[in-house]
Amino acid sequence: MRPIYLLIFLASVYSNLAFGQYKSNPLANKEWLNTSVGANTADNISWQMAATYSKRSDVLITAVRLAYSQEFIESAIDSVTSKKNKIIEAGMMWGEGYGGEHWYASIAGGMGLNIRRYADDIEDTTLVRVLTGVTIGVPVQLEVGLLFNENWGASATALANWNFRQPYVGLHVGLVYRPSKKKKQ
């Protein structure tokens, strides 16, 4: 078989696929709020709560995450145990997702700002100082949800934040709220 015939055959097969009907993503024009609690690896082990608002356009998911972490179980080599280290985080993320009538899955990553308050001992004294550090971060979130009805559901979320002060990974369970769309009359 000549190569030109193979090229014409492949071009005709792929041209039929290229002009096929576009199928919209089931999450298109949907929005949801995921409130969750869990633990992460910041400062050995920290508890964390987060709220993420996500909206998918016809192209991608845009998500905003606010989170708070506080040291829960100190490291055995932690020199300061009288003060708990804390992180407040705000992030803007973009990603993709897919779903059905009663479930969805999404992944997003982006940029954020972290404010970290932590304690440090002063050398050769018993005094402790509390410091505040601000840094940029790269928040990432993988979210899977199961919807019980049109509006409410449960979620499992894996989240992370890579930054220069206290990077972490964590796992959460949460509650999902998806507002109903008003039907046109």
Side-chain angles (χ1 to χ4, degrees), residues 12-21:
S12 65
V13 168
Y14 285 112
S15 67
N16 281 339
L17 295 175
F19 293 106
Q21 180 64 35

Coordinates of all heavy atoms in Angstrom, one line a residue, residues 12-21:
S12 N -9.2 11.0 6.5 CA -10.7 11.0 6.5 C -11.3 10.4 7.8 O -12.3 10.9 8.2 CB -11.1 10.1 5.3 OG -10.7 8.8 5.4
V13 N -10.6 9.5 8.4 CA -11.1 9.0 9.7 C -11.1 10.1 10.7 O -12.1 10.3 11.5 CB -10.3 7.7 10.1 CG1 -10.6 7.4 11.6 CG2 -10.6 6.6 9.2
Y14 N -10.0 10.7 10.9 CA -9.8 11.8 11.9 C -10.7 13.0 11.6 O -11.1 13.7 12.5 CB -8.4 12.1 12.1 CG -7.7 11.1 12.9 CD1 -6.7 10.3 12.3 CD2 -8.0 10.8 14.2 CE1 -6.1 9.3 13.1 CE2 -7.4 9.8 15.0 CZ -6.4 9.1 14.4 OH -5.8 8.1 15.1
S15 N -10.9 13.3 10.3 CA -11.8 14.4 10.0 C -13.2 14.2 10.4 O -13.9 15.1 10.8 CB -11.7 14.8 8.5 OG -12.3 13.7 7.7
N16 N -13.7 13.0 10.3 CA -15.0 12.6 10.9 C -15.1 12.9 12.4 O -16.1 13.3 12.9 CB -15.4 11.2 10.5 CG -15.9 11.1 9.1 OD1 -16.3 12.0 8.5 ND2 -15.8 9.8 8.6
L17 N -14.0 12.5 13.1 CA -14.0 12.7 14.5 C -13.9 14.2 14.9 O -14.5 14.7 15.8 CB -12.8 12.0 15.1 CG -12.8 10.5 15.1 CD1 -11.5 9.9 15.6 CD2 -14.0 9.9 15.8
A18 N -13.2 15.0 14.0 CA -13.1 16.4 14.3 C -14.4 17.1 14.1 O -14.6 18.2 14.8 CB -12.0 17.0 13.4
F19 N -15.3 16.7 13.3 CA -16.5 17.4 13.1 C -17.7 16.7 13.8 O -18.8 17.0 13.6 CB -16.9 17.4 11.6 CG -15.9 18.3 10.8 CD1 -14.9 17.7 10.0 CD2 -16.0 19.7 11.0 CE1 -14.0 18.5 9.4 CE2 -15.1 20.5 10.3 CZ -14.1 19.9 9.5
G20 N -17.4 15.8 14.8 CA -18.4 15.2 15.6 C -19.1 16.2 16.5 O -18.6 17.3 16.8
Q21 N -20.2 15.9 17.1 CA -20.9 16.8 18.0 C -20.2 17.0 19.3 O -19.7 16.0 19.9 CB -22.3 16.2 18.3 CG -23.2 17.0 19.2 CD -23.5 18.4 18.6 OE1 -23.7 18.5 17.4 NE2 -23.6 19.4 19.5

